C-alpha cells in the first residue's frame, strides 16, 4: 500500500484509496451465505481517505458518520490482535473521509486495510503482506485487496488475490445522494435470473477496450433497488462514458473516459444528471 507517512509525534498516517471493479462476475449464493466472485479490482488515484493510527490510553475510532466499534477500522484492530496472538498496545484511529459510504468504492474496507498497515508500521510488527492479508480477510471480503492495491483478480468471496495487468484510464465517479447496502444488493441478486457465464476474454491492453469488456453482474440488482440509476447510467453514456459501470454493489457509477479532456467534460456535466450527487475525478495509472 502506498503513502505511509510516520509522524514525529508517534503516529502513522496511511492514504486509503477507492477501488472500482472493472469486471465483477457473481455466482449463486453458497451455503455460507456468500457469493463466489471472479472480479478484477483496481485501486484509483485521486480522492482518498487518510487514516492515522496513534498510541492512546483508550481504544478509539474517530470517523465522521461511522465512529467507534461500528467502523471496520475497529474490527481491523481486533484482527491484528488475533493475528499476532498477544496483547498489543492500545491504539486510536482517526479517519479523514474523502470517500463516500455505501457507494461501492470500498471506502470502509480501504480504511480497515490502512489501519492494519499503519498499526503494523507504528508498532514495528513487521507482519508482511501475507499475514496482513490474513488479518484483512477476517475483517471483510474486499479488505485484502487494499493491502496490495494495484490491479488484482480476486476470487472466493473476494479475498483470494492474483496480480494482473490493467490499462491506464481516466474516470469520473458519480455518487448519488442515496447509497445502497451491499447485503441488500446481493439479496436482490438472488431473486433475479443468473447472469451469463464468464466469456474469458483477456483484459484489454488499452482503455478503449474497456468499453465492451467491463461487466458488473450486480447491476440489474442495484438498478432494481434504485431505478433512477438507469437514468444516470444512460446520461453518463450519452456524455461519452465508455463504459458507465456500477462501482461494486453501488450506488456510485464510474464513467470511464477515453482521455483526461473527455473525463473533465463528463465531470462538469455530471452534477445535473443526479440531484444531490457528488462527483469525484479519479484515474488508474495502469500496471
Ligand atoms: O464481506 P463483507 O462483510 O464485506 O460483505 C458484506 C455482505 O455482502 C455480506 O454480508 C454478504 O451479504 C454480501 N457478500 C456476498 N458475497 C460476497 C461478498 C459479500 O454475498 N462474495
Amino acid at each position: 500500500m502506498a503513502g505511509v507517512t510516520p509522524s514525529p509525534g508517534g503516529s502513522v498516517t496511511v492514504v486509503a484509496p477507492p477501488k472500482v471493479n472493472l469486471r465483477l462476475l457473481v455466482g449463486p449464493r453458497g451455503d455460507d451465505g456468500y457469493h463466489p466472485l471472479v472480479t478484477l479490482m483496481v485501486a484509483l488515484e485521486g480522492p482518498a481517505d487518510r487514516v492515522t493510527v496513534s498510541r492512546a490510553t483508550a481504544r478509539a475510532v474517530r470517523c465522521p458518520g461511522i465512529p467507534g466499534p461500528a467502523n471496520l477500522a475497529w474490527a481491523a484492530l481486533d484482527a491484528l490482535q488475533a493475528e499476532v496472538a498477544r496483547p498489543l498496545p492500545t491504539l486510536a484511529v482517526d479517519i479523514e473521509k474523502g470517500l463516500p459510504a455505501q457507494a461501492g468504492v470500498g471506502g470502509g474496507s480501504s480504511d480497515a486495510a490502512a489501519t492494519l498497515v499503519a498499526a503494523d508500521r507504528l508498532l514495528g510488527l513487521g507482519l508482511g503482506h501475507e499475514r496482513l492479508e490474513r488479518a484483512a480477510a477476517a475483517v471483510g471480503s474486499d479488505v485484502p485487496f487494499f493491502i496490495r492495491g494495484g490491479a488484482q483478480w480476486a476470487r472466493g468471496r473476494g479475498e483470494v488475490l492474483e496480480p494482473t495487468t490493467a490499462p491506464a484510464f481516466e474516470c469520473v465517479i458519480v455518487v448519488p445522494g442515496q447509497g445502497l447496502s451491499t447485503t441488500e444488493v446481493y439479496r436482490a441478486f438472488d431473486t433475479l435470473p443468473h447472469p451469463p457465464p464468464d466469456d474469458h476474454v483477456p483484459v484489454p491492453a488499452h482503455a478503449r477496450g474497456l468499453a465492451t469488456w467491463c461487466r458488473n453482474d450486480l447491476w440489474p440488482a442495484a438498478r432494481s433497488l434504485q431505478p433512477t440509476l438507469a437514468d444516470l447510467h444512460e446520461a453518463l453514456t450519452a456524455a461519452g462514458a465508455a463504459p458507465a459501470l456500477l462501482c461494486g454493489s453501488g450506488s456510485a457509477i464510474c464513467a470511464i473516459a477515453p482521455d483526461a479532456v473527455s473525463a473533465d467534460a463528463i465531470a462538469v456535466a455530471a452534477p445535473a444528471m443526479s440531484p444531490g450527487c457528488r462527483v469525484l475525478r479519479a484515474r488508474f495509472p495502469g500496471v
Side-chain angles (χ1 to χ4, degrees), residues 221-247:
R223 212 176 37 196
S224 75
L225 293 171
Q226 206 178 115
T228 51
L229 285 179
D231 302 329
L232 174 57
H233 184 275
E234 199 178 310
L236 287 169
T237 306
L245 180 72
L246 183 75
C247 293

Side-chain angles (χ1 to χ4, degrees), residues 5-237:
T5 318
S7 99
S11 63
V12 173
T13 298
V14 172
V15 173
K19 57 86 179 157
V20 67
N21 305 66
L22 294 178
R23 215 156 217 255
L24 176 52
L25 310 185
V26 183
R29 191 163 76 99
D31 292 340
D32 61 356
Y34 281 79
H35 296 73
L37 305 180
V38 177
T39 181
L40 198 164
M41 289 193 271
V42 298
L44 300 176
E45 291 180 352
D49 292 349
R50 284 170 64 82
V51 177
T52 299
V53 176
S54 41
R55 289 175 188 267
T57 48
R59 186 192 283 191
V61 173
R62 291 176 283 264
C63 175
I66 318 172
N71 196 292
L72 289 182
W74 192 284
L77 294 177
D78 288 339
L80 190 69
Q81 183 97 42
E83 179 59 35
V84 297
R86 65 182 158 82
L88 290 173
T90 305
L91 298 175
V93 184
D94 287 277
I95 302 175
E96 275 173 60
K97 289 300 285 183
L99 302 178
Q102 290 208 314
V105 299
S109 298
S110 192
D111 293 345
T115 300
L116 289 169
V117 171
D120 174 66
R121 181 67 62 95
L122 179 71
L123 301 177
L125 301 174
L127 291 186
H129 269 210
E130 199 178 314
R131 294 186 68 190
L132 286 174
E133 284 173 26
R134 190 162 56 206
V139 180
S141 308
D142 287 348
V143 185
F145 165 75
F146 287 106
I147 301 287
R148 290 201 192 180
Q152 312 282 336
W153 280 110
R155 294 186 172 78
R157 288 176 176 190
E159 82 289 14
V160 182
L161 300 175
E162 180 196 342
T164 180
T165 58
F169 61 85
E170 299 284 333
C171 64
V172 179
I173 296 172
V174 184
V175 187
Q178 194 189 342
L180 278 171
S181 144
T182 301
T183 308
E184 278 176 30
V185 173
Y186 275 104
R187 209 173 281 150
F189 172 87
D190 293 336
T191 67
L192 294 168
H194 289 310
D198 192 352
D199 51 19
H200 296 288
V201 176
V203 185
H206 299 285
R208 60 181 175 274
L210 294 173
T212 52
W213 187 81
C214 290
R215 165 174 159 184
N216 186 335
D217 288 350
L218 296 177
W219 171 232
R223 212 176 37 196
S224 75
L225 293 171
Q226 206 178 115
T228 51
L229 285 179
D231 302 329
L232 174 57
H233 184 275
E234 199 178 310
L236 287 169
T237 306

Side-chain angles (χ1 to χ4, degrees), residues 267-285:
V268 169
M273 297 177 189
S274 173
C277 69
R278 269 179 74 190
V279 177
L280 307 172
R281 188 66 175 84
R283 64 201 53 81
F284 179 66

